[in-house]
Amino acid sequence: MLTVSATHLHRVFAPTGSSPRKEIETARAQAAHEALAGANATASVELEAIAKSCGFKTARQMRSALQRSQ
């Protein structure tokens, strides 16, 4: 939990043209991309497990974030 207000965070991120939510999603998408790239292509990759380990609720949410980040 952060000890700063949401308003303050938005003020800090405003000059960058981003938001805390966008930055978190970008970090999660990068982690998912790395996890998927590091997964053995011949092994059965459990997408739900990768999604959850990267902070997404579902594999569908992860796929959407990956598409937006490209």
Side-chain angles (χ1 to χ4, degrees):
M1 181 161 209
L2 296 175
T3 57
V4 296
S5 70
T7 304
H8 178 70
L9 281 177
H10 286 283
R11 253 188 249 130
V12 170
F13 280 90
T16 66
S18 188
S19 70
R21 173 176 269 177
K22 287 179 187 176
E23 292 299 320
I24 290 170
E25 183 177 277
T26 300
R28 288 177 177 167
Q30 181 63 33
H33 180 72
E34 290 172 7
L36 290 169
N40 186 346
T42 59
S44 173
V45 177
E46 183 60 44
L47 292 179
E48 289 291 333
I50 291 174
K52 290 197 186 297
S53 72
C54 295
F56 295 104
K57 290 182 181 179
T58 64
R60 173 182 264 173
Q61 187 184 46
M62 179 180 71
R63 274 193 304 271
S64 295
L66 287 170
Q67 289 174 343
R68 282 190 296 273
S69 71
Q70 291 180 352

